[in-house]
């Protein structure tokens, strides 16, 4: 179910403190929209002990605040919360899933950073919204995504993105223009004063994760998750 999971105490000095849980799922759970999604969400809820709020993601920079139990699915590419008893989910199949938390403040966030999301800096918008909720010491986890050695794009598109985020410049392993979205996200987080851990894995190269570039329309979706336990 989980390719990665990390537990961070809300207060390292308190033995009975709650914990922030961060996880990335793998191909064993298919989180794309469809008839089976409800059952998969139920399995996640049973495993984590909380329901997860999800998004209708459209490659933008809109950030929504979750202030109640999951209900209608909003159109946005990031969400934040300071609410106990609900988790946040971001779903991907090559784009960069970014999970954020301020364990001391109990403020959580997730962002979907594809090519367009990196270009419009959805990650910084998410950090800003978390700070509006009281976050002061945000840290991030950059999840598995298609790497710069594999994410081939036309030269004109690379130039467009690099003009906004120079750190995304890359070449494929076969010498053609590419984008390194993970490097772009890392640079944006650093500029926002947010330390980041990188969870390794190229979705195109590693069948542990779904990949739209590898599998096309049949590709599933995996998720970055964060919740308070």
């Amino acid at each position: 179910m989980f390719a990665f999971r990390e537990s961070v105490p809300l207060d390292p000095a308190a033995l009975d403190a709650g914990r922030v849980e961060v996880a990335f799922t793998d191909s064993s759970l298919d989180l794309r929209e469809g008839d089976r999604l409800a059952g998969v969400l139920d399995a996640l809820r049973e495993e984590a002990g909380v329901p997860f709020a999800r998004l209708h993601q459209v490659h933008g920079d809109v950030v929504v605040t979750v202030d109640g139990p999951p209900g209608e699915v909003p159109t946005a590419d990031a969400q934040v919360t300071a609410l106990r008893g609900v988790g946040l989910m971001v779903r991907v199949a090559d784009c960069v899933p970014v999970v954020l938390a301020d364990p001391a403040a109990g403020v959580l966030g997730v962002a979907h950073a594809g090519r367009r999301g990196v270009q419009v800096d959805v990650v910084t918008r998410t950090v800003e919204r978390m700070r509006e909720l009281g976050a002061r010491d945000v840290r991030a986890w950059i999840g598995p995504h298609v790497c710069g050695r594999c994410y081939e794009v036309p030269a004109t598109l690379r130039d467009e993105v690099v003009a906004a985020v120079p750190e995304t410049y890359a070449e494929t392993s076969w010498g053609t223009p590419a984008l390194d979205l993970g490097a772009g996200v890392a640079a944006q987080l650093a500029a926002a004063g947010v330390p980041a851990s990188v969870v390794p894995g190229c979705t195109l190269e590693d069948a542990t994760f779904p990949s739209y570039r590898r599998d096309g329309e049949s590709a599933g979706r995996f998720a970055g998750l964060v919740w308070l336990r």
Side-chain angles (χ1 to χ4, degrees), residues 4-229:
F4 171 90
R5 184 169 177 175
E6 183 173 347
S7 182
V8 183
L10 299 182
D11 180 358
L15 294 177
D16 59 348
R19 306 184 75 84
V20 171
E21 300 286 341
V22 173
F24 293 93
T25 64
D26 58 24
S27 292
S28 66
L29 292 180
D30 184 357
L31 286 155
R32 64 183 149 174
E33 295 290 343
D35 294 340
R36 297 181 179 180
L37 180 58
V40 176
L41 292 173
D42 286 344
L44 273 179
R45 178 173 184 164
E46 182 175 350
E47 175 68 22
V50 298
F52 286 93
R54 69 186 197 279
L55 300 167
H56 174 57
Q57 298 165 190
V58 292
H59 298 277
D61 66 349
V62 174
V63 184
V64 296
T65 300
V66 176
D67 53 12
E72 184 175 342
V73 180
T75 297
D77 283 273
Q79 53 184 339
V80 300
T81 193
L83 186 67
R84 303 296 182 97
V86 61
L88 303 181
M89 170 187 295
V90 59
R91 295 177 294 166
V92 296
D94 280 328
C95 297
V96 185
V98 185
V99 173
L100 306 109
D102 180 339
V107 180
L108 312 177
V110 294
H112 164 237
R115 187 268 303 169
R116 179 62 180 160
V118 172
Q119 192 172 358
V120 299
D121 203 356
V122 64
V123 168
T124 300
R125 304 288 85 74
T126 309
V127 173
E128 291 170 345
R129 185 66 65 84
M130 291 176 69
R131 287 172 174 158
E132 291 172 4
L133 292 180
R136 293 293 178 268
D137 188 16
V138 181
R139 59 178 293 191
W141 292 258
I142 299 172
H145 56 277
V146 63
C147 74
R149 300 183 309 275
C150 294
Y151 186 26
E152 184 178 34
V153 297
T156 53
L157 180 56
R158 180 177 67 178
D159 292 345
E160 178 186 327
V161 178
V162 168
V165 190
E167 294 83 0
T168 58
Y169 183 94
E171 289 187 354
T172 64
S173 59
W174 53 97
T176 57
L179 289 169
D180 189 335
L181 298 183
V185 167
Q188 290 168 335
L189 288 167
V194 176
S197 301
V198 177
V199 179
C202 170
T203 50
L204 191 146
E205 296 176 315
D206 186 349
T208 301
F209 305 101
S211 168
Y212 186 85
R213 286 216 157 199
R214 185 185 63 234
D215 303 327
E217 294 294 337
S218 66
R221 298 294 185 272
F222 75 100
L225 306 168
V226 62
W227 69 98
L228 290 173
R229 179 166 63 84

